[in-house]
């Protein structure tokens, strides 16, 4: 049970994968009795969510981090003892946005949230989710996923001051070797 009264309830675990191996399929389940109707993921003043599964990835910070991202990373390190991951992909149960929508964090574009459950239709029962992590990362960030470094769950209401509850079932991740383009490869994708 993740229970939050105007704050955050979270659990995070570092992940150590062998070099060249990356996440493929993510399976998890969650149970939410009610949503936080005051929350809005696109508004930095009220960007809370009752249920989230959070994946943190490593990558080339010099190539993608903006000056703002570096400042946020330094602040994160001061507060938590760890820098902001290169990229964070969050699977979220949202109260207003449709399934499949990717929402950039209002503070940094290095955090993207993918709505995998939306609205009240499945409240009060267990919902099973299975995702292709590589495909979701590419859709959210328009680049291949780097090494996975952390996995977590998060229920928060710190911005709205609400009381929220979510139950999380087992979270499993299958891995396989990463298929990375050769160094110096050029994309033929149009801008």
């Amino acid at each position: 049970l993740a229970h939050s009264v105007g704050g955050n309830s979270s659990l995070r675990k570092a992940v150590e994968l062998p070099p060249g191996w990356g996440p493929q399929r993510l399976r998890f389940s969650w149970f939410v009795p009610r949503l936080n109707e005051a929350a809005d993921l696109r508004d930095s003043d009220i960007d809370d969510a009752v249920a989230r599964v959070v994946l943190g990835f490593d990558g080339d910070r010099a190539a993608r981090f903006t000056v703002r991202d570096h400042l946020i990373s330094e602040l994160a390190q001061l507060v938590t003892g760890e820098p902001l991951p290169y990229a964070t992909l969050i699977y979220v149960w949202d109260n207003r946005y449709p399934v499949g929508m990717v929402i950039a964090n209002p503070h940094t574009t290095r955090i993207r949230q993918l709505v995998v459950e939306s609205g009240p239709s499945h409240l009060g029962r267990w919902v099973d989710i299975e995702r292709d992590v590589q495909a979701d990362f590419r859709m959210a960030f328009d680049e291949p996923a780097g090494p996975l470094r952390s996995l977590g769950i998060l229920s928060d209401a710190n911005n709205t001051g609400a009381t929220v509850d979510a139950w999380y079932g087992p979270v499993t991740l299958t891995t396989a070797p990463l298929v990375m383009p050769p160094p110096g490869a050029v994309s033929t994708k149009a801008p």
Side-chain angles (χ1 to χ4, degrees):
L1 166 65
H3 176 70
S4 176
V5 179
N8 295 330
S9 182
S10 65
L11 177 66
R12 184 181 149 290
K13 177 161 180 46
V15 175
E16 292 293 329
L17 297 177
W21 287 70
Q24 296 299 313
R25 306 290 303 173
L26 176 70
R27 292 183 187 102
F28 60 91
S29 58
W30 49 23
F31 178 100
V32 172
R34 70 185 166 282
L35 295 170
N36 180 354
E37 295 301 329
D40 185 340
L41 293 175
R42 296 175 82 181
D43 182 335
S44 63
D45 291 333
I46 52 173
D47 63 339
D48 293 334
V50 174
R52 303 181 207 219
V53 173
V54 182
L55 304 178
F57 296 85
D58 202 0
D60 184 1
R61 293 165 179 269
R64 297 282 182 150
F65 263 36
T66 65
V67 170
R68 181 181 175 95
D69 294 331
H70 284 290
L71 291 172
I72 291 171
S73 182
E74 288 176 16
L75 179 61
Q77 183 144 11
L78 285 171
V79 172
T80 67
E82 296 182 20
L84 182 72
Y86 167 74
T88 303
L89 177 62
I90 302 173
Y91 295 101
V92 63
W93 186 330
D94 190 54
N95 60 309
R96 67 180 69 220
Y97 297 110
V99 169
M101 185 169 185
V102 175
I103 302 167
N105 180 280
H107 306 288
T108 172
T109 60
R110 299 313 303 161
I111 300 173
R112 307 279 170 92
Q113 301 178 91
L114 175 57
V115 178
V116 294
E117 186 65 40
S118 180
S121 63
H122 294 129
L123 290 176
R125 61 181 160 178
W126 283 98
V127 177
D128 297 312
I129 306 287
E130 182 172 341
R131 302 299 304 186
D132 179 330
V133 175
Q134 293 293 326
D136 289 343
F137 190 95
R138 188 175 292 280
M139 177 180 61
F141 290 96
D142 198 28
E143 65 181 281
L148 181 68
R149 294 296 182 225
S150 64
L151 175 64
I153 57 174
L154 170 65
S155 294
D156 73 308
N158 60 311
N159 292 319
T160 59
T163 298
V164 298
D165 294 300
W167 284 259
Y168 295 88
V171 178
T172 60
L173 183 68
T174 59
T175 58
L178 289 172
V179 178
M180 301 296 286
V186 177
S187 173
T188 58
K189 184 177 177 182

